[in-house]
Amino acid sequence: MQDEVDRLVEAWRTERPDLDVRPLQVLSRVSRLARHLDRARRGVFADHDLESWEFDVLTALRRAGSPYQLSPGRLLRATLVTSGTMTNRIDRLAAAGLVERHPDPQDKRGVLVRLTSAGMSRVDAAFADLLDREQVILDGLSPAQHDALADLLRILLIPFDE
């Protein structure tokens, strides 16, 4: 069984036998898989009238647990965006009725962003559908292969997360 990456690697080995092209065997597959995964995710989000960035903010609030609220600072750290970008995103989500701003009782100048019931319904439905779609992508793996792949990918990702 061969995939597109096998053909790519074979061509490079022919054209540049002086180079070790083994990294392509892993990283080109990860890159191609990421593109397929991104398409699948965007499809799920579109089915729920969400953009990827909206899903990111809403899931950060949902994961926070009851009362499903975070400060804008915690949200921007969870979603890796700038404060200006986060302010714009909160404004847009609030206008859509998916989040609300509330005064922070711990900081008179601060606010907390809280998931509304509409936001919770939307993100819960989208998340369930996302997991279903992603499971289809992983269906070719046995449980042991799934666990082994997750462990190997963790090893590669940890240095980037630190």
Side-chain angles (χ1 to χ4, degrees), residues 6 8-11 20 22 35 38 46 49 52 54 63 68 78-79 97 101 106 113 128 134 143 145 155-156 158:
D6 289 320
L8 178 143
V9 167
E10 186 177 315
D20 179 4
R22 285 181 298 164
R35 280 183 252 147
D38 184 57
D49 197 27
S52 295
E54 292 172 308
R63 287 190 314 267
Y68 309 106
T79 60
R101 285 183 172 92
Q106 308 295 332
V113 180
E134 289 182 350
Q145 289 170 323
I155 292 167
L156 291 177
I158 284 174

Side-chain angles (χ1 to χ4, degrees), residues 27 43 65 86 96 102 107 110 113 147:
L27 300 177
M86 183 52 66
H102 293 273
D107 177 0
V113 180
D147 292 345

Side-chain angles (χ1 to χ4, degrees), residues 22-85:
R22 285 181 298 164
L24 296 175
Q25 294 174 320
V26 173
L27 300 177
S28 289
R29 285 187 174 96
V30 169
S31 177
R32 291 174 67 81
L33 185 58
R35 280 183 252 147
H36 289 293
L37 181 57
D38 184 57
R39 270 192 240 136
R41 285 180 167 183
R42 281 187 280 126
V44 168
F45 302 153
D47 290 347
H48 293 275
D49 197 27
L50 290 171
E51 297 289 334
S52 295
W53 66 265
E54 292 172 308
F55 183 81
D56 288 346
V57 174
L58 297 176
T59 55
L61 292 167
R62 183 66 170 98
R63 287 190 314 267
S66 185
Y68 309 106
Q69 65 186 19
L70 293 170
S71 69
R74 295 256 329 260
L75 275 173
L76 69 91
R77 285 189 296 279
T79 60
L80 302 174
V81 298
T82 65
S83 61
T85 298

